[in-house]
Amino acid sequence: MVVGAGPAGVAAALEARRLRPDASVVLVDKAAFPRDKACGDGLGPHAVDELVALGAGGVLDGYPPIRGLRLRSPGGMEVAGDPARPNHVVPRAVLDARLVEVAVAAGVELRRAGVRRLEQHDGRVVVDGELTARVVVGADGANSAVRRLLGAPSNPDRALAIAVRGYAPAPAGRPEQLIAWVAEGWPAYVWSFPTGTGVANVGYGLLRSRFHGDRAELHRRLRHLLPGVDPDPDSLRAHHLPFSSFRPPPGRGRVLLAGDAASLVNPLSGEGIYYALASGRLAARAALTAPRDPVPAYRRLLGRALGRHLRHAAVLARAIHAPALAEAGLGAAATSQEMFDTLVELGLGQARITLRLLAALPGGLVRARSATRGTGSTPAGRTR
Ligand SMILES: Cc1cc2nc3c(=O)[nH]c(=O)nc-3n(C[C@H](O)[C@H](O)[C@H](O)COP(=O)(O)OP(=O)(O)OC[C@H]3O[C@@H](n4cnc5c(N)ncnc54)[C@H](O)[C@@H]3O)c2cc1C
């Protein structure tokens, strides 16, 4: 059984049916689909690879690849270019409903219920006193009830972000994603992610430990930091992002945690959909190959697939508390397409801190400082 029908839950359910076509897989969610989810809606290339591997590549239909990406440092330096592979932006109200449809078409049973109780005994997990399963995957998001029921602690504020998103008319011209680090609430950033259909997802996010205001203050900062952008007030929605710099055990007994429930959000970029899809897929694999004791198998699979990358992202996320590192990183990204792609991959995929990246940082800082010196202006250093 899978609790939560977001990307992590659907990936677990689909992978279970793919590996064992006769498996009975129940997918439980408290919401009726389509439902909205506060998110930037950005899908990096690795998330797309996961969707394709799950046989769900069609969920992107009607949302063209967004090739351009512009990064801005807190000091105002900009680097723009086309990453090696494009991103996609699909509103979660659309993406998640499509994913659930794919799961149901693959033979997954969808049920609507909010899970509140779990008991493990006699080699079985009993959910809410009525449903029985050999293994349960808890994929119920950032406020996971399953994680709480396992007794795992929630993320401390230093490893938790809060972000608000809204929808606004997309800027004219070639669609380009904008990620701008901002000094207000540092380390913090705003984004504008056009969907390619005339709309842009816009948002602002920062560490929970750096934010002491209320919802109105989040909305004010979003408007102030993205001047000229006018999000529809009804579309403004905020939510927490549990960063992978603090992770609970990946499960207990016959219950596994995947996606946000397992704190699998990149602490550098706030990206979580790729890790949700990958961890859901791996949880299903562990559940089917080692149903009596799936946690060790799952821990191994997760470590092999994501461990080193998430550790490197956590190191950089800590280091970036010094704004000079963000300047140096962008300065380095401006020197070559390879450096640009390395930086993008650290936020969106699988890359690691390389010696070449470290060696490029001092020169990057000099470049960034001279680009913004005196004027604080924003010369765009195109990587191509
Ligand atoms: C503002 C914001 C912007 C973001 N931008 C991006 C981005 O651009 N790109 C990116 O990759 N990531 C982004 N993220 C992170 C991304 O949204 C999450 O990492 C991703 O949604 C995690 O997927 P999931 O399946 O683990 O959880 P979710 O998508 O949260 O799904 C959990 C599901 O569980 C259900 N549920 C919850 N509790 C229960 C219960 N007790 N019983 C039954 N069902 C339950 C919910 O209804 C929901 O459908 C952003 C997050 C925020 C907050």
Side-chain angles (χ1 to χ4, degrees), residues 1-261:
M1 177 186 302
V2 182
V3 181
V10 168
L14 275 174
E15 180 73 351
R17 291 283 301 176
R18 196 180 71 79
L19 292 175
R20 183 103 29 100
D22 60 343
S24 154
V25 182
V26 178
L27 181 59
V28 183
D29 202 291
K30 64 181 183 186
F33 288 80
R35 61 107 180 86
D36 190 16
K37 152 82 178 84
C39 187
D41 303 333
L43 292 158
H46 297 281
V48 173
D49 291 344
E50 288 287 335
L51 291 171
V52 170
L54 289 166
V59 297
L60 304 175
D61 286 354
Y63 293 90
I66 308 296
R67 301 193 183 280
L69 174 64
R70 180 173 295 269
L71 304 170
R72 188 185 300 151
S73 77
M77 181 190 187
E78 290 195 356
V79 182
D82 290 3
R85 295 175 63 197
N87 296 304
H88 286 76
V89 183
V90 184
R92 292 290 299 272
V94 175
L95 180 82
D96 291 24
R98 287 181 174 181
L99 280 171
V100 165
E101 265 174 38
V102 174
V104 170
V108 172
E109 182 187 337
L110 179 68
R111 290 202 189 186
R112 186 162 178 205
V115 168
R116 276 177 298 198
R117 260 172 57 213
L118 282 182
E119 283 121 30
Q120 300 196 54
H121 47 73
D122 306 326
R124 289 278 184 271
V125 189
V126 182
V127 178
D128 285 339
E130 49 178 88
L131 288 167
T132 301
R134 282 181 359 136
V135 177
V136 166
V137 177
D140 49 344
N143 300 321
S144 171
V146 174
R147 173 170 169 169
R148 239 184 352 264
L149 292 167
L150 291 184
S154 45
N155 277 35
D157 281 0
R158 66 180 155 74
L160 192 66
I162 184 163
V164 62
R165 78 92 232 261
Y167 290 103
R174 179 186 187 240
E176 180 186 69
Q177 289 192 314
L178 166 74
I179 299 175
W181 281 307
V182 291
E184 197 159 348
W186 183 261
Y189 64 81
V190 288
W191 70 83
S192 168
F193 292 171
T195 60
T197 61
V199 174
N201 179 315
V202 294
Y204 166 70
L206 77 171
L207 275 178
R208 194 69 192 79
S209 55
R210 299 286 168 102
F211 184 66
H212 307 290
D214 57 8
R215 191 171 300 217
E217 172 62 11
L218 274 181
H219 298 178
R220 186 199 66 76
R221 288 196 197 178
L222 170 59
R223 289 203 168 85
H224 167 68
L225 294 166
L226 274 175
V229 171
D230 189 20
D232 173 358
D234 291 339
S235 70
L236 292 171
R237 196 151 287 155
H239 203 60
H240 282 133
L241 297 90
F243 283 165
S244 64
S245 34
F246 178 94
R247 278 163 59 186
R252 216 183 74 209
R254 287 173 177 259
V255 180
L256 305 175
L257 296 171
D260 280 14

